[in-house]
Amino acid sequence: MTPEGSAGPVRLRAFAEDDLPFLDRLCTDPDVLGEFEWPGFTDPRARRRRWEHDGYISAGSSAVAVVRQDGTVVGIATWKPRGFPSGVTYEIGVGIGPEHRRQGFATAAQDLLVEYLLDHTTAYRIEALTNDGNIGEQKALERVGFRREGLMRGRSFLRGEYVGVLVYGLLREDRRPQTRPGPG
């Protein structure tokens, strides 16, 4: 899928072996995930092992590349089942490399990911969590149709501080209103 927008064409695709350097950066470069998501240094081989194991597509969690028209990987889009039973709710996340931010790629990727999940899963609810200071992410989620549902105070520890995390939700009917048959 490729939406046209101010950022130009963007698509989601499975990670390929040539994308492993980008995945390595997620573990070794604090700027890639940015000030709101960097968890600290992690095993740089872990992402390669995961790619070799299942290509980042599994029932437990999945990730795909966010790619510009010219083939440049600009970020990562993730989803994992939440709630009960599995498949009713999915939590999504998008990370865009610092050199590609503020160009609309995150919004476009979130939009594509929502459509993918509505087309290919039984998802009724899609949710996203974001740091309460991440105004750009909050605006991107709202542009896609997510609604802010609440604040979990002190849920994360980031850069030596406990920070709040906002919960955003989108229901299938928010994007695809049900049409009811008329009387008969």
Side-chain angles (χ1 to χ4, degrees):
M1 285 168 88
T2 306
E4 297 287 338
S6 62
V10 175
R11 64 188 172 96
L12 303 179
R13 67 159 170 77
F15 280 109
E17 189 166 4
D18 289 346
D19 303 325
L20 291 174
F22 174 82
L23 291 170
D24 291 344
R25 284 183 64 201
L26 297 174
C27 301
T28 60
D29 182 351
D31 293 330
V32 174
L33 289 175
E35 65 179 303
F36 300 111
E37 295 296 327
W38 175 248
F41 292 106
T42 57
D43 181 355
R45 298 164 300 184
R47 295 198 183 255
R48 285 177 178 268
R49 287 192 301 265
R50 168 75 195 270
W51 181 81
E52 289 170 359
H53 174 71
D54 64 11
Y56 270 88
I57 306 292
S58 75
S61 69
S62 297
V64 292
V66 178
V67 183
R68 288 190 330 208
Q69 184 179 27
D70 67 3
T72 302
V73 176
V74 299
I76 182 171
T78 65
W79 67 96
K80 54 188 163 192
R82 295 288 193 222
F84 180 81
S86 185
V88 170
T89 300
Y90 284 85
E91 180 184 329
I92 68 166
V94 170
I96 302 295
E99 62 275 19
H100 304 289
R101 291 188 189 131
R102 294 176 178 71
Q103 299 177 51
F105 293 124
T107 302
Q110 288 165 337
D111 192 56
L112 284 172
L113 190 51
V114 165
E115 285 302 310
Y116 174 81
L117 291 170
L118 294 177
D119 285 346
H120 298 283
T121 73
T122 57
Y124 177 71
R125 173 184 170 80
I126 301 172
E127 59 191 26
L129 306 179
T130 188
N131 181 296
D132 64 357
N134 192 343
I135 304 302
E137 174 69 359
Q138 293 168 42
K139 289 179 179 179
L141 289 167
E142 290 166 4
R143 280 192 291 273
V144 171
F146 283 83
R147 296 180 190 176
R148 181 176 164 173
E149 297 179 335
L151 169 67
M152 296 182 282
R153 298 175 302 133
R155 184 174 187 274
S156 292
F157 187 75
L158 193 60
R159 295 179 320 277
E161 295 181 63
Y162 292 96
V163 297
V165 172
L166 296 169
V167 178
Y168 278 81
L170 181 145
L171 301 181
R172 181 177 285 269
E173 62 202 34
D174 295 338
R175 288 288 287 253
R176 298 182 177 176
Q178 296 292 330
T179 55
R180 297 179 189 268

